[in-house]
């Protein structure tokens, strides 16, 4: 490029220049990147200035994870290395879900089902998602008709009250859709659903629906690397919900707590230790105020999930010993949702891998595959660990990683 900010895809850029550019785009100082990598600031500077060459694959993969680089070619400049770390395969039901989202409901002449009927179907869909090992397959079969009917109900509502109720259902259907779309090659669709869900939630006037829409929007911003936008969404929504928490019931308290954790997650990504654990503490206090058996169907926020959240905070802060301590204290079997349990086990595997315990990390990934194969198949962190261990100096670990790679569809 002749003018403006250099493009990380420019072939003429050195590895060090690419690293510096991507670091600056994430708003990271060298000190922060060094801390997240477990390296010295002088190491980061030496790599960026070209005094050290391109790191080995394991370090490249860690850099890609920390910087949220989706394709290693963006970091290395090697067009022969197009490894997309954070996108899984396109599901066979993706096209049907896309068609339902893109359909124009006003063109349909059929009558929409009652909101109560949609509510019952939506509750059943959430239960199915949490109990199924192949949860994307289950959601992909349910979503097309749910999306179409919820859009129709919103369009055909005859009164303001009915329309607000229908909009609340539609917002939650879009939330369910985001769980299906996440980590698939459909980022345009994911953003469309996130934005539509937020609009529907606001139109419903339901604080809980607004909280859920914001929770999902914050995740979309953070996964896209826009941490400032994620912070803005969580901060504003927490402030709006806070005065409603005392009288709002368990659902409002749970979504408020879930948003506080999301703020902590983003702070951990920034390397802000105090802020990250401060938000976790606030979320934990909220969880303790919930009934013992309560489990939020969208966010999984509950007492039992806070241990899993602690593992995530420690891992994102690159605190190896602390992340293992939290992993060993958190009981995966207590989490009733199979995909959420598998996600927690992937976070545990990240902790062990960060702490240089790769054998344990691979064993935990095996457990995650047993809990919910579709979760690990679409999870970039799991794929990164497997990819790194395929390059291990240990033949035993290479073999075990190879078996996992076949299981999750990385190798055929």
């Amino acid at each position: 490029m002749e003018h403006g900010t250099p493009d990380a895809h420019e072939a003429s850029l050195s590895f060090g220049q690419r690293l510096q550019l991507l670091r600056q785009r994430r708003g990271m100082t060298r000190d922060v990147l060094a801390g997240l990598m477990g390296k010295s600031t002088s190491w980061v500077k030496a790599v960026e200035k070209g005094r050290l060459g391109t790191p080995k694959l394991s370090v490249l993969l860690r850099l890609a994870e920390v910087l949220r680089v989706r394709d290693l070619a963006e970091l290395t400049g090697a067009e022969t290395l197009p490894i997309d770390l954070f996108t899984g395969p396109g599901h066979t039901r993706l096209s049907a879900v896309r068609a339902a989202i893109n359909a124009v409901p006003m063109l349909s002449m059929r009558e929409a089902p009652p909101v109560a009927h949609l509510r019952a179907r939506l509750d059943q869909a959430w239960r199915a998602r949490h109990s199924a090992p192949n949860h994307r397959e289950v959601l992909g079969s349910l979503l097309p008709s749910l999306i179409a009917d919820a859009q129709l109900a919103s369009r055909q509502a005859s009164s303001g009250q009915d329309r607000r109720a229908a909009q609340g259902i539609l917002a939650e259907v879009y939330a369910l859709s985001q769980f299906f779309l996440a980590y698939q090659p459909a980022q345009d669709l994911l953003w469309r659903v996130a934005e539509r869900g937020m609009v529907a939630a606001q139109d419903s006037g339901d604080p809980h629906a607004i909280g859920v829409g914001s929770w999902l929007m914050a995740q979309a911003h953070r996964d896209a690397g826009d941490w400032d936008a994620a912070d803005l969404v969580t901060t504003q929504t927490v402030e709006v919900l806070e005065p409603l928490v005392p009288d709002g019931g368990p659902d409002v308290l749970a979504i408020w707590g879930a948003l506080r954790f999301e703020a902590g997650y983003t702070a951990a990504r920034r390397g802000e230790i105090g802020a990250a654990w401060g938000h976790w503490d606030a979320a934990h206090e909220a969880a303790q105020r919930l009934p013992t058996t309560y489990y939020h169907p969208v966010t999984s926020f509950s007492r039992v999930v806070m241990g899993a959240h602690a593992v995530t905070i420690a891992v994102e802060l690159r605190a190896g010993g602390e992340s293992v301590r939290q992993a060993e204290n958190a009981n995966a079997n207590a989490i009733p949702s199979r995909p959420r349990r598998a996600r927690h086990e992937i976070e545990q595997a990240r902790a062990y891998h960060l702490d240089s315990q790769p054998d344990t990390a691979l064993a935990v990934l095996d457990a995650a595959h047993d809990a919910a194969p579709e979760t690990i198949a679409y999870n970039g962190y799991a794929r990164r660990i497997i990819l790194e261990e395929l390059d291990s100096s240990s033949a035993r670990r290479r073999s075990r990683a190879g078996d996992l790679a076949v299981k999750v569809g990385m190798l055929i």
Side-chain angles (χ1 to χ4, degrees), residues 398-409:
R398 289 198 304 272
S399 175
R400 193 166 191 177
D403 290 343
L404 263 173
V406 171
K407 284 182 181 180
V408 304

Side-chain angles (χ1 to χ4, degrees), residues 77-88:
E79 294 300 326
T80 58
L81 196 65
I83 302 173
D84 194 330
L85 293 175
F86 295 97
T87 299

Side-chain angles (χ1 to χ4, degrees), residues 211-383:
V212 169
S214 296
W215 182 80
L216 288 162
M217 186 64 78
Q219 291 193 359
H221 282 305
R222 189 179 60 235
D223 288 346
D226 193 343
W227 298 340
D228 290 339
D231 277 337
L232 183 62
V233 171
T234 51
T235 300
Q236 289 183 336
T237 312
V238 162
E239 290 176 354
V240 169
L241 293 181
E242 191 153 10
L244 306 176
V245 167
D247 301 316
D251 286 346
V252 173
L253 174 60
I255 195 61
W256 182 89
L259 285 161
R260 286 301 300 264
F261 168 70
E262 289 304 315
Y265 194 155
T266 306
R269 281 274 175 87
R270 294 181 186 274
E272 298 169 352
I273 299 173
W277 286 113
H279 286 298
W280 183 91
D281 286 339
H284 182 262
E285 191 276 333
Q288 294 306 303
R289 291 158 56 192
L290 291 168
T292 305
T293 58
Y294 179 89
Y295 194 82
H296 192 266
V298 184
T299 68
S300 293
F301 193 79
S302 55
R303 292 189 183 192
V304 299
V305 88
M306 289 311 301
H309 283 339
V311 176
T312 296
I313 292 291
V315 167
E316 291 294 341
L317 289 170
R318 314 299 294 176
E322 177 63 15
S323 63
V324 167
R325 187 180 75 82
Q326 295 291 352
E328 292 175 346
N329 288 337
N331 180 11
N333 292 327
I335 299 174
S337 167
R338 291 185 70 145
R340 186 61 185 85
R341 186 161 68 247
R343 170 63 192 274
H344 169 49
E345 286 168 333
I346 292 168
E347 295 293 277
Q348 288 180 312
R350 292 178 69 198
Y352 289 116
H353 205 254
L354 181 64
D355 199 49
S356 300
Q357 299 185 49
D359 288 304
T360 306
L362 290 172
V364 177
L365 286 182
D366 262 325
H369 184 270
D370 291 341
E374 286 191 347
T375 295
I376 187 171
Y378 287 83
N379 186 280
Y381 299 118
R383 294 158 71 89

Side-chain angles (χ1 to χ4, degrees), residues 109-130:
M109 301 301 294
R110 67 183 178 86
E111 185 177 352
V115 168
H117 177 70
L118 287 172
R119 178 74 263 170
R121 286 167 58 190
L122 187 51
D123 289 344
Q124 182 183 22
W126 283 119
R127 288 193 296 270
R129 177 191 178 263
H130 289 305

